[in-house]
Every structure is written in C-alpha cells, then in structure tokens.
Amino acid sequence: MSKAHLIPEHAPLERHAVGALSTVGRHPDNTIEVHDRSVSKFHAQIQRSQEGVYSLKDMGSRNGTYVNGERVAERDIVNGDEVVFGTVRFRFRAERPSTGITPVMREMGTPPSGGGVTMLGPVPGSAPSKVSLIASEPAIQVADSFAGEQDRFLPGDQIQNADALRRDYDKLRIAHELNAALRMDLDVDEMLRAIAERSFELISADRCAILLMCEDGETLEPRMVMERGGGELKDAIRLSQTVLDQVISNRKAILCTDASADGRFESSKSILALSMRSAMCVPLLYEDELFGAMHVDSLQQARAFSQKDLKLFTSIANQTAVALKNASLMQQVQEESEQRARLGRLLSPNLVEEVVSGKLDLVQGGEMRRVAMMFTDIRGFTRMSDMMTAEQVTHMLNEYFEVMVEVLFKLGGTLDKYMGDGMMALFGVPRDDPQASLQAVRCGLEMQTALRSLNRARQARGDREISIGIGINVGEVTWGPIGSHETMDYTVIGDEVNVAARLCSMAPPGEVIISRSMFEDVGDYMRVEALEPAVLKGKPEPVPVYRVIGPAA
C-alpha cells in the first residue's frame, strides 16, 4: 500500500500523511490542515486510485488550485508537477523507508508568481530485500595440495611460457562461460544440467554426477547424473562412498589418477568393484556452507585427469556453490514475499516486518489475551446496493475499505476480517499493547472523520454518502489460529466478541459506541456520554453503554 507525506520544507521534521484519500484546507476536519487565509476551509483533495495513481481535485476553493502554473479543476499529478493551494506551495517526493516506497509532499512556502508545488511520484521498484544475492563472480579455488604461486593470475610481464598463459585463459573462459550458463531464471535442475554439460566440454570424463546435501545435513542425494554423449542417466549410478566421505568430511578436493593403485583407497572394496580408474571429486562449498559434491570419472583410462583439470573442476564447483546459494536466497526472498503478501492483508506494515524478520511470533495454539475488538457496519447498505450495479457496489466498497484500513493500520490495529459491508478489527494482537483500548477508540473516531472526507468527494461527483456505526468492546478472549490445514485464520473467540458486534448493531450512523469495560480503560482520555443501558442478546440484564464524543480537553 503506497503512502505519502506532506513535509513543510522550512520544518522538515513535520509530516502530514497523504493516503488513499486526503483533503487539504483550513478546517480541522481536513487530513492536511493548512493555516493560511489564502486556503479555503475545504480547498482540495488528493485521491489514490487502486492502481496507485494520485489525482488532485479542487473542491471549489476561493483562490484556486494550480498545477505547473495552470489553474485546474481536476487532474492526475505525476513526478515533477508543481502545485499551489492559494498562495502555499508544496513538494511531493518519494522516499524509500524499510517498508517500501513512500511518496511525500513537501511544503515550500509562498511561491513566486506562477509558482507552485513540486510533487515527485513513487520511485519504480520496491525497498531492497533484507536478503542479498551472492555475486556470481569467478570463485576459483584449488585443493590445498596444489595451491601455490603457479595458481595465481600473474601480471603479463611475469608470464614465462605459453602454457601458463593458456592455463590462465582457460580459467577466465570457464568463469565466463559458467556465468552465462547459470542464469537466475533457471530452476535448480536446469542449472545443474547446464553445469554438467559444461563440465564435459572442459574435462575428458565419462560420467558426471552432482550430489546435493539433504536437509539432515548428512545424506547426499544425486540430483544430476550424466554420461558423455548419452545425456542424463535415468538409472542409479554407483559411486565410491569412500571418496565421497573423504571429500565431505575434509571439505577438500580429491584427484585419483589411478584409483585402483591409489594407496589412500587400498582398503576400499567399492573402488575395485566399480573398476573406476580415474576420478575427481570436489565439495560444493560456499564460505562455510556445504551444498554437496561434484564427481567426474573415467572408467577405462588411468591418469585421465591432470592437476589442471582439477583446478578447472574446482572452479566449476565453486561457481556451482555460488549458484546454489543464490537459488536458496531467491527461494527465501520469494517465500518472504508471499508471507508479506498474506500478512499484509491483516497486519499493519510494521507488524508484517516484525513477523517476517522473526522478531514477532504468531502463536501456534490458542491463548487467552485481553483484546480490544471493533466492529464497523455501513448503515442502509442493502437499500443503497439495490439502487446500484454490481460494479458500482464493488467500487464503493473498495474505495471505502481502503480509507478505513489505512486508518486502522496507522493506529496499530489488526484487520481480522471483512464481513460484507462490515469489518472486524483487533487491537492488542498479535503484539500486546497496553494502549489497545485507547488506540481502538481513537481509530473509531478517526474513521468517522475520514469518512466525512470521503463523503465530500462522493457528493462532489454525485454519489450517495456512506454512514457507518462503530461498536467497541475489550475483554479476555481466545486468540490463535482457527481453521483447517488448507485454510487458517488468526482470530479471537469469546463472548466479549459478541458484545462488540452487538454494540455495533445498535450504534447510530456517525457514532462510536463503547462498553463499560472500554469506558473504564479510556474514561480519563475521552469525553463520553452515558446512554440508557442496552438489552443485548445473551445478556440477562441490560448493560451500560456509552457514546464517545471526542478526546478529553
């Protein structure tokens, strides 16, 4: 959900939020109150469409609204536009906070003649992910047994023979070719197939196997097995467990020029049984993280591989490990993105980030919590919808809910669910909040104020006004995940929830009705009026109820 702020340039710490629907004017009911006599009480409005486009509309102001020096009644505003209300101009620019892109408007003071407000639209893209991909640069390493000066890229004037030059060229070539082959859009199996095919081009091997570490951190699973000229092997390949164990335990490459005569494996029956003459096996290692191993062999030829082949094969393995790390991080980014999308429908952006980062845990089982519950409901919705098309009803509800949810998230509330034209919201979950009751009442009042601004916009374009009643209660309820394994929601259950719903049903249009327990929590901070005790379904006696007038003086 994009956001915007109005920031006076002469007082950069002061900010005015510009949301789904914002009004500008001198009257306190405006979203952005401008204390200047050249600005009308309700001067203009800025509305964000569902596509994220901001439109500016003059509300019949005395001194007019100007964009780029031209007086306008209504128009979209984009990056670079200058806007002036009366004689006050603003700057609208984009910021990049941790939770995403935030367009803002900055007040610039009284403009010169023809001057106005600069508005910078949202910067394309999104906030950088907390998970960065490892750069797929050449990562050429060799086993300790052959590491030395000859394995470095020497300056040109130090190269003594053509063989050294060719070795360096091969290393650069393999790094370049692998970089081109290991595209980020490939899935893991496609990537491993490309790596195996490239290995055959560079090394005279009969078979190539890439084994990845299972989740238990001990077992290797063959993920890609190929033979030269024969494509991918569908049958199981028999490899030496002795060789694999040494590579994994020591995390170092092994070169067997003649395995049957290699003293390191004289006790290995698998070497003899496999008739494996030459082999190379290297770990897939990125920093301290082991992803598996790569194996190539020649079943017939002794001394099929040289130290140079091992260097090249180690380079391939290092590049593969980097690619696997990137694939792992890409999957993590995708999972976090999907989790953010799911949670973003229910929680405010700051709570979403806390859940995704692990700072805040959603409970896995039900627990008793003291929660403030708020219900809202559009009055006369059935009668209104009977006079509208389905498309008009959908547009009205989307416009209405976008404004209401923005207020809810700003006050730290959690969206529990939509119920047709109604909404259920919670305060005090998933994170405990000692101010939950007060924030819920503030939210109810701000929703009514925001609705008045929305109604002015609807009235100006000939649409019917919307009125809502709000009921709020607080008490001990069961909080936790409810549903099946396929579909699960976090919600609250208990009699106190029913009380809040019934308070909403009795709330007159434009009013916020609270219970006795809410009054005890907020009575010192809010002006309230006691009403006649109400008879609520399920309650044997009438219960005290109160109407919230506004903040205490």
Side-chain angles (χ1 to χ4, degrees):
M1 181 185 297
S2 61
K3 295 181 180 179
H5 294 83
L6 191 63
I7 308 176
E9 195 161 85
H10 57 273
L13 295 181
E14 183 181 355
R15 290 170 178 261
H16 307 284
V18 178
L21 176 69
S22 300
T23 57
V24 181
R26 292 201 327 272
H27 197 278
D29 274 354
N30 285 286
T31 313
I32 302 169
E33 186 178 358
V34 181
H35 301 284
D36 191 283
R37 295 189 63 82
S38 67
V39 178
S40 299
K41 288 184 178 180
F42 298 101
H43 195 105
Q45 72 174 29
I46 304 168
Q47 188 165 11
R48 184 183 66 232
S49 71
Q50 295 179 30
E51 293 76 25
V53 177
Y54 285 85
S55 63
L56 174 68
K57 182 177 181 180
D58 185 85
M59 302 296 288
S61 65
R62 182 178 67 255
N63 294 319
T65 301
Y66 294 81
V67 176
N68 297 330
E70 177 185 354
R71 186 165 184 167
V72 299
E74 182 175 6
R75 64 172 286 177
D76 292 342
I77 50 177
V78 298
N79 185 23
D81 282 348
E82 289 189 344
V83 178
V84 64
F85 306 113
T87 60
V88 182
R89 60 179 178 144
F90 297 81
R91 181 176 299 277
F92 183 77
R93 63 180 177 81
E95 291 181 341
R96 190 180 291 269
S98 60
T99 55
I101 307 306
T102 304
V104 299
M105 289 181 61
R106 172 172 294 176
E107 184 178 347
M108 302 174 64
T110 304
S113 59
V117 177
T118 301
M119 296 193 180
L120 303 179
V123 174
S126 60
S129 172
K130 294 181 180 179
V131 180
S132 300
L133 295 181
I134 306 301
S136 184
E137 295 294 330
I140 299 176
Q141 295 180 350
V142 295
D144 293 341
S145 59
F146 55 81
E149 184 175 330
Q150 69 273 21
D151 301 305
R152 295 186 295 107
F153 286 103
L154 297 175
D157 58 359
Q158 296 183 22
I159 297 177
Q160 301 298 320
N161 55 60
D163 286 341
L165 181 60
R166 278 192 289 269
R167 282 196 298 271
D168 286 350
Y169 172 78
D170 279 337
K171 292 179 182 180
L172 293 174
R173 179 169 63 88
I174 183 61
H176 171 74
E177 291 178 348
L178 277 177
N179 261 344
L182 306 183
R183 304 196 316 269
M184 296 299 295
D185 59 337
L186 295 178
D187 67 24
V188 172
D189 289 328
E190 289 177 340
M191 179 183 68
L192 296 182
R193 183 178 297 107
I195 291 169
E197 291 172 348
R198 189 69 62 195
S199 299
F200 283 124
E201 294 178 14
L202 296 164
I203 299 170
S204 299
D206 295 329
R207 304 184 304 178
C208 176
I210 304 176
L211 304 94
L212 300 186
M213 190 68 69
C214 296
E215 292 184 0
D216 60 13
E218 298 179 358
T219 309
L220 288 174
E221 174 193 6
R223 285 291 294 271
M224 183 56 57
V225 182
M226 299 184 71
E227 60 180 351
R228 178 177 294 276
E232 185 176 345
L233 289 174
K234 301 301 181 182
D235 299 330
I237 184 174
R238 297 177 62 197
L239 301 178
S240 169
Q241 191 63 48
T242 303
V243 173
L244 291 174
D245 287 344
Q246 287 207 21
V247 169
I248 296 302
S249 60
N250 297 328
R251 298 194 173 193
K252 292 182 180 179
I254 285 181
L255 168 61
C256 303
T257 57
D258 188 348
S260 61
D262 195 320
R264 291 174 295 177
F265 311 117
E266 60 184 1
S267 62
S268 174
K269 296 179 180 180
S270 63
I271 297 289
L272 299 176
L274 294 171
S275 300
M276 184 178 63
R277 299 301 301 275
S278 303
M280 291 189 296
C281 192
V282 294
L284 298 176
L285 191 64
Y286 176 77
E287 294 182 347
D288 293 330
E289 189 170 359
L290 182 66
F291 291 93
M294 284 187 69
H295 173 100
V296 292
D297 60 29
S298 174
L299 299 178
Q300 305 298 327
Q301 183 181 354
R303 301 185 182 278
F305 310 123
S306 65
Q307 291 284 350
K308 174 183 175 181
D309 292 323
L310 185 57
K311 297 174 189 177
L312 292 175
F313 195 42
T314 304
S315 298
I316 296 173
N318 290 334
Q319 288 286 77
T320 303
V322 169
L324 290 170
K325 180 65 174 180
N326 278 340
S328 174
L329 293 176
M330 284 290 288
Q331 182 180 3
Q332 182 180 348
V333 170
Q334 182 177 355
E335 290 174 353
E336 287 189 3
S337 177
E338 293 173 354
Q339 186 181 20
R340 281 190 176 91
R342 291 194 302 269
L343 295 174
R345 301 185 185 100
L346 305 174
L347 306 178
S348 58
N350 60 317
L351 288 180
V352 170
E353 290 303 315
E354 289 190 28
V355 173
V356 172
S357 65
K359 296 179 180 178
L360 179 63
D361 290 330
L362 294 177
V363 293
Q364 297 303 309
E367 65 174 18
M368 294 299 294
R369 297 277 288 272
R370 193 170 194 273
V371 178
M373 296 142 289
M374 178 175 69
F375 284 79
T376 72
D377 186 69
I378 296 179
R379 296 296 181 247
F381 176 77
T382 302
R383 185 173 61 257
M384 290 178 61
S385 60
D386 286 343
M387 303 171 62
M388 302 165 66
T389 65
E391 183 178 4
Q392 289 173 330
V393 171
T394 300
H395 180 270
M396 178 189 73
L397 289 178
N398 286 339
E399 182 182 53
Y400 160 73
F401 280 129
E402 184 163 359
V403 173
M404 295 297 102
V405 171
E406 186 171 84
V407 174
L408 173 68
F409 285 172
K410 184 178 72 172
L411 273 298
T414 296
L415 175 62
D416 184 282
K417 61 177 68 70
Y418 296 112
M419 301 171 296
D421 60 309
M423 184 173 67
M424 175 181 173
L426 310 173
F427 293 79
V429 289
R431 184 175 59 191
D432 285 324
D433 183 3
Q435 300 293 316
S437 295
L438 185 58
Q439 290 296 87
V441 173
R442 287 171 175 167
C443 181
L445 293 174
E446 286 203 27
M447 282 182 171
Q448 296 289 11
T449 299
L451 186 59
R452 288 194 289 272
S453 295
L454 176 61
N455 279 330
R456 281 192 290 270
R458 292 180 58 80
Q459 191 176 36
R461 60 176 184 253
D463 293 335
R464 294 172 62 91
E465 294 187 5
I466 300 172
S467 60
I468 62 173
I470 298 177
I472 310 176
N473 184 34
V474 63
E476 293 286 330
V477 293
T478 301
W479 151 256
I482 304 296
S484 67
H485 290 291
E486 289 76 18
T487 305
M488 185 170 292
D489 290 324
Y490 284 86
T491 188
V492 292
I493 297 176
D495 183 61
E496 302 294 346
V497 182
N498 300 329
V499 171
R502 286 157 190 157
L503 290 177
C504 175
S505 65
M506 65 171 289
E511 294 191 3
V512 178
I513 302 299
I514 64 174
S515 64
R516 175 63 180 268
S517 56
M518 285 294 300
F519 170 72
E520 292 173 352
D521 283 357
V522 306
D524 293 338
Y525 307 95
M526 294 288 169
R527 290 185 296 122
V528 301
E529 177 184 0
L531 304 177
E532 287 293 326
V535 177
L536 300 183
K537 183 179 178 180
K539 296 295 182 181
E541 300 291 337
V543 298
V545 293
Y546 305 83
R547 179 171 68 91
V548 181
I549 300 173

